[in-house]
Amino acid sequence: MLINTVKLTDAEFVELKDIIYKNSGILFTENKKYLIENRLSKRLSELNFTSFKDYIYYLKYDVRKRMEMDTMINLITINETYFLRERGQMDYLVNTIIPDFIKAGKRSVKIWSVPCSTGEEPYSIAILLMNAGLYNKINIDIMATDINSDVVAIAKRGEYHSASFRGVPSDFISKNFRQEGQSYFIKDEIKNKIRFNTGNITSPTVSMIAGRMDVIFCRNVLIYFDMDGKKKAVDMFHKTLNDPGYLCLGHSETLNKLSDDFTMKNFGTGILYMKK
Ligand SMILES: C[S@@+](CC[C@H](N)C(=O)[O-])C[C@H]1O[C@@H](n2cnc3c(N)ncnc32)[C@H](O)[C@@H]1O
């Protein structure tokens, strides 16, 4: 079915971007107006709305507004991810951080992949830890969280296609996935290593669910937040991390001008931040 794009007026855009910001921390600037139009027009048509004015009213006042907010957020997030993305930090975790924890006599380690999108990041971490035999040496708990319940459902299903494996060595796929036609299913022994859930990193409740963590991977999401949203997330991570505690951001992200509570560590193939 061909869907006509519904045009957003400037006033509707301002109202909608404020709603999105308040509920997710994601900041849509004027030049991303087309993205909202493209992604939400089909939803408007499903609800038989012909204008964003009606949709905004529905989001604000209808009894189903809470459910609709989740549906809308699922439609507007950018979920790009793939296996072994920005691998340097994962290798540093496997080769240095966890061995150091073991040497220090630590019995368990908690890792948080947030946001995890469709699961490629936490599964990559679990696979590398498994290959290094570290599950036999220390208790490892990986939690993975995303605001988008659709991507969390995909992650839990563990079914992937070739786009998730760009640049990934073929034995990584053959060892850890079961192929059925065009689909690759993650093996159960790896799937069972991750606890997936939904959560919003700009909301205070997410850290209560997480509890204390030793290592946090928060990669490629802060770019969508404004300064205030980034600060909220980073402060929450600081409180959540044990000491020593490690924060990994995406390659294009930095704590510069954002927080003095971490020391940057350059380990050659990447950087990470250590809790002060
Ligand atoms: C580009 S993906 C990054 C996935 C993975 N960390 C990586 O680097 O490949 C960004 C993810 O952030 C999620 N996201 C956006 N705002 C969020 C929020 N406030 N709380 C939790 N997740 C959020 C989106 O749903 C999306 O799946």
Side-chain angles (χ1 to χ4, degrees):
M1 188 174 57
L2 196 66
I3 303 292
N4 287 328
T5 306
V6 183
K7 290 284 163 213
L8 252 176
T9 66
D10 288 346
E12 287 162 357
F13 170 70
V14 170
E15 205 171 351
L16 198 51
K17 85 159 170 62
D18 285 349
I19 294 174
I20 294 171
Y21 177 75
K22 243 193 247 147
N23 287 279
S24 68
I26 301 168
L27 184 71
F28 278 92
T29 44
E30 179 73 32
N31 61 348
K32 293 279 158 57
K33 193 168 138 181
Y34 74 95
L35 206 146
I36 299 189
E37 286 173 344
N38 287 347
R39 291 195 170 200
L40 294 183
S41 286
K42 181 161 173 260
R43 183 65 190 147
L44 264 65
S45 145
E46 282 164 4
L47 292 167
N48 288 322
F49 293 143
T50 50
S51 76
F52 273 98
K53 184 168 174 265
D54 294 341
Y55 185 59
I56 291 168
Y57 189 89
Y58 182 75
L59 266 178
K60 282 166 81 170
Y61 304 113
D62 196 271
V63 282
R64 287 155 292 185
K65 64 183 181 182
R66 195 52 256 168
M67 257 165 63
E68 188 55 32
M69 191 66 69
D70 293 344
T71 304
M72 180 186 67
I73 285 171
N74 288 358
L75 290 170
I76 51 121
T77 57
I78 311 274
N79 310 115
E80 161 80 2
T81 188
Y82 47 93
F83 285 98
L84 299 180
R85 182 181 195 180
E86 300 173 11
R87 171 175 183 165
Q89 292 161 332
M90 299 182 185
D91 287 333
Y92 189 74
L93 171 79
V94 171
N95 297 327
T96 305
I97 297 177
I98 308 266
D100 282 353
F101 281 156
I102 295 170
K103 270 184 231 146
K106 208 167 153 59
R107 285 159 175 261
S108 62
V109 56
K110 289 189 77 184
I111 301 166
W112 194 10
S113 165
V114 55
C116 62
S117 186
T118 36
E120 287 86 334
E121 180 178 281
Y123 284 140
S124 298
I125 295 169
I127 290 170
L128 295 177
L129 291 169
M130 235 179 178
N131 287 350
L134 290 171
Y135 275 95
N136 302 326
K137 297 187 177 153
I138 188 166
N139 287 320
I140 301 171
D141 178 38
I142 305 180
M143 187 169 105
T145 305
D146 200 285
I147 198 170
N148 182 325
S149 56
D150 288 343
V151 294
V152 172
I154 293 172
K156 281 184 181 165
R157 195 164 73 237
E159 178 183 357
Y160 296 96
H161 299 95
S162 55
S164 292
F165 297 105
R166 60 197 87 157
V168 166
S170 58
D171 66 330
F172 179 93
I173 306 173
S174 58
K175 266 196 202 157
N176 303 300
F177 297 81
R178 179 174 44 82
Q179 189 176 358
E180 276 180 34
Q182 303 290 316
S183 295
Y184 297 84
F185 292 89
I186 192 118
K187 289 192 174 163
D188 283 347
E189 73 232 56
I190 304 157
K191 201 200 250 187
N192 297 339
K193 301 255 180 270
I194 319 284
R195 292 185 293 127
F196 286 103
N197 56 27
T198 52
N200 173 359
I201 51 177
T202 59
S203 137
T205 50
V206 77
S207 61
M208 291 191 253
I209 298 162
R212 306 291 293 196
M213 290 288 160
D214 298 298
V215 185
I216 297 175
F217 283 78
C218 176
R219 310 193 306 171
N220 304 303
V221 71
L222 296 184
I223 37 171
Y224 301 112
F225 294 174
D226 69 352
M227 210 55 179
D228 191 50
K230 289 181 208 219
K231 278 204 170 105
K232 263 193 200 143
V234 170
D235 285 350
M236 182 270 287
F237 292 145
H238 188 262
K239 288 196 189 92
T240 302
L241 279 171
N242 287 322
D243 186 10
Y246 300 84
L247 174 63
C248 299
L249 300 182
H251 280 180
S252 60
E253 296 163 331
T254 166
L255 289 189
N256 250 353
K257 302 196 180 105
L258 209 63
S259 171
D260 295 325
D261 296 334
F262 293 85
T263 310
M264 191 183 93
K265 180 165 180 59
N266 186 334
F267 52 85
T269 52
I271 62 157
L272 52 70
Y273 292 92
M274 289 179 68
K275 178 175 169 146
K276 271 187 191 166

